[in-house]
Amino acid sequence: MTMWTWAGETGRQLRAAGQDELAEAVTTLPELSEAGDAVRVEAVARSALRTARRLVAEAGKTSDNALTAAPASVPGVFGPPTLFFLAHWPLAVRVGALAEGRRALEQATAAAEDEPAPHTHGPLPVSALETLVRCHANIDARGTTDQRRELLSARRLSGWESTPAWPAFTLARVHLLIDEDQADRAEAELRRYEHTATGPAVLGADGVFALVRALRHQDKHTDALEALDRMEAELGLGGREAGGPANPRRTALRRMIRFERARLLSWLARLGLCDARQAIGLLPTVEEAEAYPKLRSAWVEAVENLVCQGSVRNDWRLGVRVTTWSRYFERVGAPRRGAELALAATRLASGRGARWVAECSAQRAERLIRELGGAEEIIGDLVEVRSMVRGMKAIHPLAPAADILEFLRAQPTEEVNPEEQAEQVNVALMEQPHDSSLLSALGQVGRTLMLSDAATEPQWRHVREQPGDQRAALSLLETLLHDNDTAGVRNLVRTLAAGALIPQGQVAAEGQPAPQSRPVPAGQPVPQGHTAPQVRPSAHGQPVPEEQPAAQGRLVPEGQPAARSQPVQAVPERQLVPEEWAAPRGQHASQRQPVPEHRPDPERQETAGAGRFGISG
């Protein structure tokens, strides 16, 4: 029995007991988790747990040991396995669809330690241990293989073989083999299940996606496409039947198939083995990738392959999106994925001649790679992009430093390029490092390009030297708020408070008195040792807000007009970047509404493929 089968059977028993709310929760929580709807998962699980615990308490008070809220034909349906199942999903959605790493590690570790034995209260349908393994894989897939191998050892998994959670452990072992550069063994393991009578039904659709990953790591892209086509045919995802309820899991499977197929076809197009238009036609919208963090890497890989073919526009909007996602993975404690996207952002920026963006992205990649183990291959990629950045043309000023802002503001709106503006402002700041107008302009374009963390470095140097400059302090505050950097805001308050009590020029980093007795004259080099504070991810279990990139819309083939981004509130100063290109404030990653998709017609679930892949009613 798989987890999906257990959920369906338990849901039917709960409906027979008259507990429709619990039945709905048991059947929909896995689907909501797969869709990445963390807010609804939390709400549904909390409400269902209250109801289930009340029923368990009432059952314990009866003298005849009969459940008061359920018929005797379903004993234990409100017992620990059901309670454990309901409590499992709020963390599972964060580690799964939202791809959180270190931010969820402490909670995942505690849940695994508190997990009972698999048969103490009846077979458990899910396991916190598997969630912990996945969390380690999110942090560093290649660098945490030793920890995951220990967690998946025969000693740790003893007793789980006969539970509905066992297929998840089997696939975790397969992904471990792939991360250990043994994709051929992973494929052989999956093929062994594929050729048994019950294997495909046990591993289901997740087993097919694991097979696709193993084939892709062996450069068997055509075989991987055939596996996706076979699964889609068996599931009947392209067909339409009337008379049955729509199954949300089918929508999730369609989405994952589309992302994987676009990635595979884009690589074949890059090799000249297929028409790039096939991959472009399948490429999901950027909003879909935004809504499902675990699928973002596949989208970026597909787009980068198509950019290399000249089939997709490589402009600053694409750079904003990739940078935003790289920072998301950095913030949730998934440094390897963050570094991979930062390297992609560097390559794309180098291709369009955006030197400052390329340098900032390369620095972020280097910072994240320091946290990784087994980093030989990705260090080679870093060396490659570093050479690309060094080979870029030097930035030449378009106007004198004193006049550059006026020159940039005079540009027609349709010709504005925030990346070029940022480069010109940085060149001007080299001559006038304490010019408040230039620092404010850098903060503005930095927020637009989602490089506000890099833009704060010169702002911090100036504010620490001249804390009485209110304009510069307000610009820095706006940048810190845009980044949701509460530690930076507190540090700024301390610095400004120290500057108000101590004569200007005697304020150093962290708001402490400096040994020098007079201020540094404007235009002079800033003393060494003044560095910007590092933005740290929240230590709490709940996700922190994620900033939204500036541009929205699908990337279009070369020659097509690009979609205009959404307007937001203007900053108090005169705008350097037009208002409609300014980046909106951050919003909680789990509060974004999923992108509306074309809902399929109601389909019947009694098909061989549906039962085989765990999506039947």
Side-chain angles (χ1 to χ4, degrees), residues 223-240:
D223 293 343
L225 283 171
E226 292 176 355
L228 289 176
D229 292 340
R230 185 166 59 253
M231 180 176 71
E232 190 172 34
E234 293 188 19
L235 292 174
L237 295 179
R240 299 170 181 266

Side-chain angles (χ1 to χ4, degrees), residues 125-210:
V126 289
S127 172
L129 181 61
E130 189 271 334
T131 301
L132 177 59
V133 171
R134 190 180 302 188
C135 188
H136 280 295
N138 289 345
I139 294 172
D140 184 4
R142 289 181 177 271
T144 60
T145 53
D146 291 340
Q147 296 96 311
R148 289 153 61 197
R149 182 159 291 285
E150 193 281 328
L151 292 173
L152 295 172
S153 63
R155 176 182 60 83
R156 294 295 297 267
L157 298 186
S158 177
W160 286 100
E161 298 86 348
S162 57
T163 67
W166 181 248
F169 285 117
T170 301
L171 292 177
R173 284 176 164 174
V174 168
H175 287 293
L176 176 62
L177 289 172
I178 298 174
D179 293 330
E180 291 178 331
D181 292 324
Q182 301 183 70
D184 53 343
R185 283 189 58 192
E187 180 189 358
E189 181 75 9
L190 291 168
R191 297 292 190 191
R192 182 171 66 85
Y193 279 94
E194 188 179 54
H195 293 294
T196 62
T198 59
V202 170
L203 298 182
D206 291 333
V208 177
F209 289 121

Side-chain angles (χ1 to χ4, degrees), residues 431-610:
E431 298 183 21
Q432 302 178 4
H434 291 285
D435 187 288
S436 297
S437 298
L438 289 173
L439 291 169
S440 297
L442 180 63
Q444 185 184 338
V445 294
R447 293 190 294 271
T448 300
L449 297 173
M450 286 298 135
L451 291 171
S452 45
D453 56 339
T456 58
E457 295 180 9
Q459 290 180 317
W460 270 113
R461 286 195 294 265
H462 175 74
V463 168
R464 283 165 173 158
E465 293 297 328
Q466 301 181 21
D469 188 339
Q470 295 184 3
R471 179 180 183 183
L474 288 174
S475 178
L476 175 57
L477 176 62
E478 185 166 6
T479 305
L480 294 173
L481 291 174
H482 179 270
D483 263 1
N484 300 292
D485 183 5
T486 54
V489 171
R490 288 193 295 267
N491 192 11
L492 177 61
V493 171
R494 289 194 297 266
T495 301
L496 297 179
L501 298 173
I502 302 173
Q504 185 171 341
Q506 295 183 356
V507 179
E510 303 298 329
Q512 299 299 324
Q516 58 197 51
S517 59
R518 58 189 178 85
V520 178
Q524 294 297 321
V526 179
Q528 296 294 324
H530 294 268
T531 58
Q534 295 296 320
V535 179
R536 296 184 179 181
S538 170
H540 302 290
Q542 295 301 323
V544 296
E546 175 188 0
E547 68 263 33
Q548 281 286 81
Q552 303 288 336
R554 174 196 279 269
L555 296 173
V556 295
E558 194 68 41
Q560 296 297 326
R564 181 63 56 88
S565 55
Q566 300 298 321
V568 297
Q569 183 178 359
V571 298
E573 303 295 337
R574 289 184 59 197
Q575 293 292 323
L576 176 62
V577 180
E579 290 185 21
E580 66 269 20
W581 285 0
R585 291 299 179 94
Q587 70 178 34
H588 196 295
S590 61
Q591 290 175 338
R592 291 191 306 271
Q593 295 297 323
V595 179
E597 295 187 358
H598 173 70
R599 296 192 62 81
D601 291 339
E603 298 171 309
R604 295 186 182 275
Q605 305 301 316
E606 297 78 19
T607 62

Side-chain angles (χ1 to χ4, degrees), residues 218-287:
Q218 299 177 77
D219 292 326
K220 299 180 179 179
H221 292 76
T222 303
D223 293 343
L225 283 171
E226 292 176 355
L228 289 176
D229 292 340
R230 185 166 59 253
M231 180 176 71
E232 190 172 34
E234 293 188 19
L235 292 174
L237 295 179
R240 299 170 181 266
E241 298 180 15
N247 192 329
R249 181 153 165 75
R250 289 178 177 266
T251 301
L253 291 176
R254 285 191 187 94
R255 183 187 308 115
M256 294 179 67
I257 289 173
R258 196 165 66 252
F259 273 85
E260 285 296 336
R261 186 174 281 143
R263 171 158 56 181
L264 295 169
L265 287 174
S266 68
W267 178 251
L268 293 177
R270 186 170 180 174
L271 297 179
L273 300 179
C274 78
D275 191 345
R277 287 177 293 184
Q278 298 181 41
I280 294 174
L282 290 171
L283 186 66
T285 63
V286 69
E287 289 84 2

Side-chain angles (χ1 to χ4, degrees), residues 286 299-300 303 307 313-327 341-342 344-350 352 354 357-358 361 364 419 448-451 549-551 555:
V286 69
W299 190 90
V300 172
V303 168
V307 165
R313 186 193 308 277
N314 180 15
D315 63 5
W316 68 271
R317 295 174 178 84
L318 174 59
V320 167
R321 193 68 66 163
V322 179
T323 299
T324 301
W325 295 344
S326 174
R327 296 190 64 185
L341 292 191
T346 306
R347 290 189 293 266
L348 292 168
S350 300
R352 60 180 180 270
V357 175
S361 299
R364 175 172 289 106
E419 293 179 334
T448 300
L449 297 173
M450 286 298 135
L451 291 171
L555 296 173

Side-chain angles (χ1 to χ4, degrees), residues 302-386:
V303 168
E304 187 177 3
N305 290 332
L306 294 172
V307 165
C308 292
Q309 293 295 304
S311 303
V312 167
R313 186 193 308 277
N314 180 15
D315 63 5
W316 68 271
R317 295 174 178 84
L318 174 59
V320 167
R321 193 68 66 163
V322 179
T323 299
T324 301
W325 295 344
S326 174
R327 296 190 64 185
Y328 169 82
F329 287 121
E330 179 182 17
R331 190 164 52 255
V332 300
R336 182 170 290 272
R337 292 186 183 182
E340 290 170 349
L341 292 191
L343 291 172
T346 306
R347 290 189 293 266
L348 292 168
S350 300
R352 60 180 180 270
R355 187 183 183 94
W356 184 66
V357 175
E359 289 175 345
C360 293
S361 299
Q363 290 173 4
R364 175 172 289 106
E366 183 175 1
R367 182 171 67 249
L368 293 173
I369 288 173
R370 295 194 195 105
E371 305 177 27
L372 304 179
E376 294 80 7
E377 182 178 350
I378 198 169
I379 288 176
D381 295 337
L382 176 63
V383 172
E384 180 183 354
V385 299
R386 282 292 190 190

